[in-house]
Amino acid sequence: MFSWRALGSPARRARARAEQGCAILCSAGGLHAIFVTLKEAGAPADVLRVCCKVLCALYKFDGKLVAVVARLQGGIKALVDAVRDHMHGADMRLLQWLLCALSDVSHTAPNATAVVDTLGVPIALATLLAHLRVAQILLPCLYILINVTRLAAHVPAVVQEGGVPAVLAAVLAHVESALLVRTGLLLLRAISLDGSSALSFAVDGAFRILLAVMHTHGANGEQLDLLRLASNVLWRLYLARHPSMGALVEAWAQHPLQAGGAAGGPLDGVDDDEQPVDEGIGGENSSSADDDDGGGGASVSAGAGARRRAPLR
């Protein structure tokens, strides 16, 4: 006979109950009901907030199932439309939950394509610019754009919609926030991998902002990853403006006088094929905004790392 005592600590028992509830919801058509509600015009804000909370919880339980159902049931378009409708509303908590849910379900390549097809990129950028000082809104917007730019074919769409100056503005507005700066740099690196897109923002303003990031976080030995990301983006922007330098560096790296014949250069240790996704973003990621009743920040498992979001105040 099953006994909850056998599960040990109260936290473990609560987690087991939550998983059991998620399994029941998935098998009883709960996902379909959520997306039907999201597609209803004029749904109350409280109902939408609860739907997004449950959707994020179900994504943590079975991300692949939620992603597939979201695409087949029109959930991507429903979330994009809901973000557009509440972009300028007073309920910041609801907007944060909507963006978090969209960032979760857009993690797969087909769903990221659906975001582009439903005009999710300009809506995410407009939301980012409308709430440039609110980090809790900026982060899920950046996560959505990172999901989109995993596919190189979508990078020009982000650039054409003014994504580069918007991301640079977000980084500059929160230059002291390591989490937000790291997320913005990951997105900029994804864009800089495309030569023509990198050339479009290889301007003095971008160089100054990246140098400001390096200056702000250079004295902190714990933020070496930020320096590496910023220098990587700077180098790619420089190569975009001076393409002949790339051939010169490659020739220098292959010179027989190089010790041991090892290739060297400014991009040593940087994998060109590496996905522009941080540990707290990629993999079978999951995210959720903080609970309304939670007083502090939340830490949510996301693949090998964790996505952290500060509470709205």
Side-chain angles (χ1 to χ4, degrees):
M1 182 177 179
F2 180 80
S3 174
W4 286 108
R5 293 183 179 180
L7 293 177
S9 67
R12 188 176 301 174
R13 291 198 299 270
R15 185 163 56 251
R17 290 191 186 97
E19 291 179 355
Q20 188 180 38
C22 288
I24 294 173
L25 281 173
C26 289
S27 62
L31 281 172
H32 174 73
I34 288 174
F35 291 124
V36 168
T37 304
L38 288 174
K39 289 187 286 186
E40 289 181 357
D46 291 340
V47 174
L48 292 177
R49 190 184 304 113
V50 171
C51 286
C52 291
K53 286 183 180 181
V54 176
L55 185 61
C56 290
L58 292 178
Y59 187 87
K60 288 191 290 182
F61 175 72
D62 192 341
K64 292 181 179 179
L65 174 64
V66 173
V68 171
V69 176
R71 184 172 69 257
L72 297 179
Q73 296 287 335
I76 303 293
K77 186 178 187 305
L79 286 169
V80 170
D81 291 344
V83 170
R84 181 197 60 207
D85 294 340
H86 296 275
M87 183 193 313
H88 300 291
D91 194 341
M92 291 291 98
R93 177 70 67 177
L94 171 60
L95 181 59
Q96 184 182 7
W97 274 109
L98 288 168
L99 291 168
C100 290
L102 183 58
S103 69
D104 276 349
V105 300
S106 64
H107 185 264
T108 63
N111 288 12
T113 301
V115 170
V116 176
D117 294 340
T118 56
L119 302 181
V121 170
I123 290 175
L125 289 171
T127 305
L128 182 150
L129 292 173
H131 304 281
L132 198 57
R133 294 293 179 181
V134 186
Q136 297 88 345
I137 300 298
L138 297 187
L139 283 172
C141 289
L142 293 174
Y143 294 144
I144 293 168
L145 296 173
I146 286 178
N147 290 340
V148 168
T149 54
R150 280 201 186 94
L151 297 178
H154 295 158
V155 171
V158 175
V159 175
Q160 291 169 8
E161 294 293 343
V164 171
V167 175
L168 288 172
V171 170
L172 185 61
H174 300 269
V175 70
E176 296 183 356
S177 170
L179 177 59
L180 197 144
V181 168
R182 182 182 295 108
T183 308
L185 289 176
L186 287 168
L187 179 55
L188 291 174
R189 186 179 69 176
I191 296 174
S192 68
L193 291 175
D194 181 78
S196 59
S197 297
L199 185 61
S200 68
F201 77 101
V203 295
D204 293 341
F207 284 95
R208 292 192 185 99
I209 293 174
L210 291 170
L211 290 172
V213 168
M214 299 180 72
H215 177 75
T216 302
H217 298 276
N220 189 348
E222 298 179 356
Q223 303 297 340
L224 294 179
D225 59 328
L226 292 183
L227 298 182
R228 180 186 175 188
L229 276 171
S231 61
N232 183 214
V233 176
L234 274 172
W235 174 245
R236 295 188 185 281
L237 296 187
Y238 183 79
L239 287 183
R241 295 180 65 172
H242 306 280
S244 59
M245 182 60 68
L248 179 62
V249 171
E250 183 178 357
W252 173 79
Q254 297 177 355
H255 196 278
L257 294 181
Q258 283 285 87
L267 294 183
D268 279 357
V270 178
D271 185 1
D272 285 345
D273 296 328
E274 182 181 354
Q275 290 289 351
V277 180
D278 197 1
E279 289 183 352
I281 301 170
E284 288 300 325
N285 72 327
S286 63
S287 68
S288 65
D290 300 331
D291 245 346
D292 292 340
D293 297 331
S299 178
V300 181
S301 174
R307 242 188 231 183
R308 295 167 293 172
R309 291 190 177 92
L312 287 168
R313 296 177 180 175

